[in-house]
Amino acid sequence: MSRPPKKVPPRDPDRPSPDALLEAARREEGRRGRLKIFLGAAPGVGKTYEMLTVGRARLRAGTDVVVGLVEAHGRAETEALVAGFEVVARRAVPYHRTVLEELDLDALLARRPGLALVDELAHTNAPGSRHPKRYQDVEELLDAGIDVYTTLNIQHVESLNDVVAQITRIRVRETVPDGILDRANDIEVIDLNPDDLIQRLKDGKVYVKANAERALRHYFSRGNLTALRELALRRTADRVDDELLNHMRANAIAGPWGAGERVLVCVSEDPRSAGLVRHAKRLADRLHAPWTALTVEGPRSLALDEAARDRIADTLRLADRLGGETVTLPGGRRIADSILAHARSANVNHIILGKSDRSPLFELLNGSVVHDLVRRSGTISIHVIAGEAAAPVPVTTVATEPTKRTFEFVPYGVGLLATAASLALALLVEPYLGVENADLILLTAIVAVAVRFGLGPSLAAVVAASLSYNFFFLPPVYTLTIADPTNIAAFLLFTAVAVVVSNLASRSRRDALVSQGRARATERLYGFSRTLAGCGTLDDVLWATSAQVAAMLKVRVVILLPQDGAVTVRAGFPPEDTLDAADLGAATWAFDNERPAGRGADTLPGARRLFLPMRTGRGGIGVIGLDADGGGPILSPEGRRLFDALADMAALAIERVRLVESLDRAERAAETDRLRQALLTSISHDLRTPLASVFGAATTLRDLDDALPRDAKADLLETIIAEAERLNRFIVNLLDMTRLEAGAVAASLTQQDLGELVDTALRRLGLTLAGHRVMLDVPAALPALRLDPVLFEQVMVNLLDNAAKYAPEGSAITVAGSVEGERVRLQILDEGDGMPEAEVERVFDKFYRVRKSDSVRAGTGLGLAIARGFVEAMGGTLTAANRRDRLGAAFTILLPVLPSDRAKDDHPV
């Protein structure tokens, strides 16, 4: 799919670019700190060392420099540089019985230095930190007005992640968005020759010896390092090139500056322009430079026939498919001026255009764009080539309505009447104002006719006004004879001025009409794009497209998409339109071959409709069928170009919706697969474990019944009962989750005493909680609540079982109740390791289990999900959080208290 060419408004090259000024103002905004990134191709090139060296120089210069966090990795020279700075103590974050050290963002904000040194921008913070990524910490420092120096390796840039993985065969998980580099005020590349870096690695200056040997075998090969080095230099060069262009535009500096290569190819109606575009693509590839295809719409463009306009549009589409940028530039009569102004503002240093084959007489009268560019290009290189006449852009294969040019008498009649009226007025005022003012009245009428009706009627008015001026005002009057030679000069000057003024006025009218037409088309296309952007389903996109095409082109529309191996009608306007066999055959051929078919096309012209394919870069999307009353072609040339723009936008919207649907299907399939795997794991392990215990205990009782003492038999029976109860809970959880997903859980609410339900759940889990101290703090004065006793008991069993599972032996499990306004709060607190902050809400997902050690009993990962579903079915809420007073998790149930329940203190029957 091709994008519509970008419309670039004319800009005065002597004035700064508003966009560039806004970008410069954003970078210099005083309230935000400045960011400098020390960018390297690989670990060990010396980014941290260079950052500390530059920071030490700033410290000596009087800047308040503080080390927020620097990773020395045991390198003595790096640690020696850190010694001279004030270092903010790191923040300790407990995580899975270990303690991680992270940047203390709050302490650094409170200290508020002039410059903070923060190492490893792509680092992922420990769970429980304010931000998941360190670059977000840096952004908060910058927003607070603190300058930041930081380090980054090129493999951590998000857009280059796939490229690095392809080069090194290693996928980097920690990445930063490209926008971080774009917003940085300065980027300094820390470069090191691959051989020197490998030697540093062998010397143990990057990793310890064991890790260094493994890195040399996999990551730090000479080829990998060379490729990464090129990536770093190229990414920085692109950034520097953008900065240079913004600087030139912000300061109105006329280019080009030869700091980088940019290619511009000029496209015209010449069929050889396609060869110029292909040549520009090859040159840009050799120079590793961006390139643009430019066409200038001047006054001469308005006189082009429709075939020539189609060639220009198709050539721009070719440039877009080849990866170039397409620009349509409004210009004046001197096309070379428009081209050079755009080239200098875009810092272009190579312009490609075709060799002219026009006659010397034509170039003498109308000028030569090639000669003007060569003479006035300055330091810009001009490439004049013949083009590839043997490989033009294919001509349009759809017949269009011929442009109707009929002669209209009304404008000429109105022009002559206006001249007559101005003559009458001039004769009335001539005795008072003189002849020199009478001709101005005639000129005013000529200008009015030119502005209203164009060049032809205004020239007719010029002839009539000139003859009238001679006949009525130049002596001898009432004759066409001019006696005084000086009056001959006045007559000729009047006629020349009238012709020039009428030409200028008619050209202004023509340009205004063209601009109005473009504005209307752009507005309607923009409205259509907004409509498509708001469409969330395929049907919405199809109906919006059919209605828009029908309204803008005044045709009947059907849209066909592939389904089950054939194209079928999916939308239409009007909706009741149907297709006969001939139309369906033409639509199928158009989709299969991605070419027009049907009425007015080269293929199957006998069909009632014209079928045009919709395409994107990934191939055909569908077919649009058009129909109109009468015979002959359906679309005008301008309508065909408008249809192409509408079809491209619709195809892109259809592909977007399909990609979203495909992504949703993939996510659902992945979720289904994950749930299936979790269920199989639960069945194969979590359910087999209690079965094995029951089977072992029962077998022992059967085989050794007489030999076992009474106490041993009792223990085995207790084991059988406990494991059977555990197995029963697993099965009940699976069944309960099935009921929740089916919406079959209906709570039978009656007034219940909360303390009694808690006691019942504790008795059911007697063996499970035997290794823990249960602290019960449920006041007897709590109001009775409307609960389903069965569901609430299961909620408590699941929550207490979860607490026992994650809390160490001998620790306390607390059940605490209280009244909070119109609600009762019930908390289950344990003394385990707690939950990672990023996973707090996920603990309620089906089959999700927080990572735990092997000593923790396994489970299906359904208990908490079921507990939340049951609580919500009874009108309450269940939330999870980490305890604030100590390590451990806290699950909080909030249940509403009805006013009638608060007044009752008796227990339910």
Side-chain angles (χ1 to χ4, degrees):
M1 173 184 171
S2 62
R3 298 162 294 183
K6 182 170 66 175
K7 300 286 186 179
V8 178
R11 186 177 68 82
D12 186 353
D14 297 327
R15 296 183 60 188
S17 167
D19 293 336
L21 289 175
L22 286 175
E23 176 66 17
R26 184 192 65 80
R27 291 183 176 276
E28 297 298 330
E29 186 178 1
R31 290 172 296 176
R32 181 177 171 86
R34 296 180 60 85
L35 174 64
K36 181 172 183 177
I37 298 176
F38 294 84
L39 181 67
V45 295
K47 303 179 302 299
T48 304
Y49 188 90
E50 181 65 18
M51 178 182 71
L52 291 170
T53 302
V54 177
R56 184 177 289 276
R58 290 285 303 274
L59 183 64
R60 287 196 298 267
T63 304
D64 182 17
V65 183
V66 167
V67 171
L69 188 145
V70 167
E71 299 289 354
H73 297 293
R75 301 167 189 155
E77 61 272 19
T78 304
E79 292 175 349
L81 282 177
V82 175
F85 291 96
E86 176 187 347
V87 180
V88 175
R90 302 189 186 189
R91 180 173 58 91
V93 180
Y95 180 71
H96 286 298
R97 301 185 184 277
T98 61
V99 177
L100 303 177
E101 293 185 344
E102 295 290 354
L103 173 70
D104 195 336
L105 181 59
D106 291 328
L108 201 53
L109 289 171
R111 172 62 176 77
R112 199 173 181 80
L115 172 63
L117 308 183
V118 181
D119 207 4
E120 297 186 0
L121 184 64
H123 173 76
T124 299
N125 292 331
S129 302
R130 182 185 307 175
H131 301 297
K133 294 287 189 177
R134 185 167 293 167
Y135 74 81
Q136 295 171 317
D137 295 337
V138 168
E139 287 186 327
E140 186 168 344
L141 293 173
L142 295 172
D143 291 337
I146 301 172
D147 294 347
V148 176
Y149 283 179
T150 187
T151 62
L152 181 71
N153 286 327
I154 193 65
Q155 66 264 30
H156 295 293
V157 178
E158 178 64 39
S159 64
L160 301 177
N161 189 257
D162 293 338
V163 180
V164 173
Q166 182 182 8
I167 294 172
T168 63
R169 301 293 190 271
I170 297 174
R171 173 72 67 175
V172 177
R173 300 300 178 187
E174 293 182 325
T175 60
V176 298
D178 289 59
I180 298 297
L181 272 72
D182 296 333
R183 290 194 295 270
N185 299 89
D186 299 293
I187 296 179
E188 182 174 337
V189 180
I190 310 304
D191 192 23
L192 191 63
N193 184 280
D195 293 333
D196 295 338
L197 180 56
I198 291 174
Q199 187 60 46
R200 281 175 54 83
L201 194 68
K202 292 178 179 179
D203 295 340
K205 296 181 179 180
V206 180
Y207 299 128
V208 296
K209 186 174 182 180
N211 293 337
E213 293 177 355
R214 184 169 61 251
L216 282 171
R217 290 194 301 268
H218 298 91
Y219 190 88
F220 283 81
S221 68
R222 195 179 192 284
N224 287 354
L225 294 177
T226 302
L228 293 173
R229 187 185 187 194
E230 182 178 4
L231 278 179
L233 294 174
R234 282 189 177 277
R235 183 62 177 83
T236 309
D238 292 341
R239 160 62 188 270
V240 172
D241 189 55
D242 292 339
E243 287 184 349
L244 174 62
L245 194 58
N246 282 330
H247 172 76
M248 295 175 64
R249 289 176 172 173
N251 294 277
I253 298 174
W257 284 359
E261 303 289 348
R262 291 179 184 269
V263 178
L264 178 70
V265 56
C266 300
V267 173
S268 68
E269 72 279 5
D270 194 316
R272 296 174 298 179
S273 291
L276 302 182
V277 168
R278 296 185 180 97
H279 181 85
K281 166 65 174 173
R282 294 192 295 269
L283 177 62
D285 288 344
R286 289 197 298 270
L287 297 175
H288 301 287
W291 64 286
T292 302
L294 171 72
T295 183
V296 179
E297 291 185 345
R300 184 174 162 275
S301 302
L302 302 175
L304 296 176
D305 58 20
E306 298 301 336
R309 295 186 184 184
D310 284 339
R311 280 197 298 273
I312 294 175
D314 291 337
T315 304
L316 292 177
R317 286 172 175 269
L318 173 64
D320 186 78
R321 288 197 300 271
L322 294 176
E325 182 185 9
T326 56
V327 174
T328 298
L329 191 70
R333 294 187 61 84
R334 299 183 67 88
I335 296 177
D337 292 344
S338 301
I339 295 174
L340 288 173
H342 178 79
R344 292 190 174 106
S345 67
N347 204 32
V348 169
N349 41 27
H350 296 275
I351 297 179
I352 300 173
L353 68 161
K355 183 170 64 176
S356 174
D357 56 0
R358 297 187 175 98
S359 66
L361 178 61
F362 179 90
E363 293 186 352
L364 179 64
L365 297 176
N366 297 278
S368 171
V369 176
V370 175
H371 293 165
D372 289 345
L373 286 176
V374 171
R375 283 195 302 268
R376 300 162 53 202
S377 59
T379 59
I380 301 176
S381 299
I382 306 297
H383 303 252
V384 182
I385 63 175
E388 301 173 6
V393 175
V395 297
T396 302
T397 57
V398 177
T400 54
E401 294 179 349
T403 304
K404 298 178 181 179
R405 300 183 182 272
T406 59
F407 184 81
E408 298 182 3
F409 292 96
V410 174
Y412 288 88
V414 174
L416 294 177
L417 288 175
T419 304
S422 65
L423 174 62
L425 180 62
L427 289 173
L428 289 175
V429 302
E430 189 265 342
Y432 306 101
L433 301 180
V435 177
E436 60 274 9
N437 291 311
D439 56 1
L440 296 179
I441 296 175
L442 294 174
L443 283 175
T444 301
I446 292 171
V447 172
V449 172
V451 171
R452 180 64 181 85
F453 298 108
L455 183 61
S458 69
L459 291 178
V462 167
V463 173
S466 298
L467 294 176
S468 299
Y469 181 67
N470 181 12
F471 189 81
F472 290 101
F473 297 102
L474 297 180
V477 295
Y478 308 122
T479 68
L480 296 179
T481 303
I482 302 176
D484 190 350
T486 59
N487 289 335
I488 297 176
F491 173 78
L492 294 177
L493 183 61
F494 172 81
T495 303
V497 170
V499 171
V500 171
V501 169
S502 64
N503 185 38
L504 293 175
S506 62
R507 185 187 303 170
S508 299
R509 172 183 178 272
R510 182 176 54 190
D511 292 344
L513 291 177
V514 171
S515 299
Q516 291 174 3
R518 287 176 183 161
R520 285 194 298 269
T522 301
E523 182 180 2
R524 299 174 78 175
L525 289 174
Y526 176 66
F528 182 47
S529 68
R530 290 180 60 188
T531 302
L532 291 179
C535 295
T537 65
L538 181 60
D539 288 339
D540 291 341
V541 171
L542 297 179
W543 286 114
T545 301
S546 58
Q548 188 75 18
V549 173
M552 294 185 70
L553 299 179
K554 304 297 187 287
V555 294
R556 292 186 290 274
V557 180
V558 290
I559 299 179
L560 300 92
L561 299 181
Q563 186 175 4
D564 299 329
V567 290
T568 57
V569 177
R570 295 294 301 273
F573 192 90
E576 61 272 10
D577 263 8
T578 57
L579 297 183
D580 55 24
D583 281 348
L584 190 58
T588 302
W589 191 94
F591 177 76
D592 292 339
N593 296 274
E594 296 188 7
R595 293 179 58 193
R599 176 177 166 183
D602 295 342
T603 305
L604 302 175
R608 184 164 63 94
R609 287 181 173 84
L610 169 64
F611 293 95
L612 298 160
M614 293 188 294
R615 296 182 294 266
T616 67
R618 304 176 65 186
I621 291 291
V623 176
I624 296 182
L626 305 179
D627 185 20
D629 296 330
I634 296 175
L635 297 175
S636 66
E638 189 66 30
R640 174 60 196 278
R641 289 189 287 272
L642 179 59
F643 171 82
D644 288 339
L646 293 172
D648 286 346
M649 295 168 65
L652 183 61
I654 293 172
E655 185 176 64
R656 171 181 60 81
V657 172
R658 285 182 168 175
L659 288 175
V660 171
E661 292 176 349
S662 299
L663 180 61
D664 289 341
R665 286 194 298 270
E667 290 179 348
R668 287 196 298 270
E671 178 68 13
T672 301
D673 184 68
R674 188 179 67 84
L675 294 179
R676 183 175 63 251
Q677 293 294 333
L679 183 59
L680 290 175
T681 301
S682 295
I683 294 174
S684 63
H685 179 266
D686 300 335
L687 301 185
R688 286 182 60 187
T689 300
L691 279 175
S693 299
V694 171
F695 181 76
T699 303
T700 302
L701 284 174
R702 183 196 64 186
D703 297 340
L704 302 174
D705 182 59
D706 296 335
L708 290 174
R710 187 179 185 87
D711 293 342
K713 291 180 180 181
D715 290 342
L716 289 173
L717 288 173
E718 288 291 338
T719 300
I720 292 173
I721 293 172
E723 294 299 327
E725 176 65 24
R726 179 181 169 193
L727 179 60
N728 180 66
R729 285 199 302 273
F730 287 156
I731 296 173
V732 167
N733 280 342
L734 291 174
L735 295 176
D736 287 342
M737 181 52 64
T738 303
R739 292 168 57 202
L740 281 172
E741 291 185 338
V745 174
S748 178
L749 302 179
T750 59
Q751 283 192 329
Q752 300 290 330
D753 182 86
L754 194 61
E756 290 185 0
L757 295 178
V758 172
D759 288 338
T760 303
L762 290 173
R763 286 195 298 271
R764 279 184 58 183
L765 291 174
L767 291 177
T768 303
L769 299 173
H772 299 81
R773 293 179 291 110
V774 178
M775 313 292 291
L776 192 60
D777 184 17
V778 181
L782 289 178
L785 302 175
R786 294 183 62 81
L787 302 172
D788 185 315
V790 177
L791 297 185
F792 191 79
E793 181 181 330
Q794 189 62 41
V795 169
M796 292 301 303
V797 167
N798 288 354
L799 293 177
L800 291 170
D801 180 68
N802 179 79
K805 190 182 302 179
Y806 286 91
E809 290 286 335
S811 63
I813 297 177
T814 304
V815 181
S818 61
V819 177
E820 290 187 355
E822 298 299 323
R823 297 182 300 180
V824 169
R825 174 203 283 276
L826 186 66
Q827 279 194 309
I828 292 87
L829 310 173
D830 64 53
E831 296 181 349
D833 292 334
M835 298 168 287
E837 290 295 334
E839 302 181 11
V840 167
E841 188 59 28
R842 292 192 62 194
V843 298
F844 294 106
D845 293 346
K846 293 178 295 183
F847 296 110
Y848 181 79
R849 288 175 285 186
V850 176
R851 302 184 197 93
K852 52 189 180 295
S853 62
D854 295 337
S855 61
V856 176
R857 292 184 294 107
T860 59
L862 291 174
L864 296 180
I866 293 169
R868 170 174 276 190
F870 283 176
V871 170
E872 291 177 350
M874 291 181 285
T877 60
L878 173 60
T879 58
N882 287 314
R883 296 180 64 172
R884 297 183 178 181
D885 56 337
R886 56 172 303 146
L887 284 178
F891 290 87
T892 303
I893 302 173
L894 293 176
L895 297 167
V897 179
L898 299 179
S900 58
D901 298 335
R902 179 177 291 278
K904 297 178 182 179
D905 53 3
D906 57 325
H907 295 291
V909 180

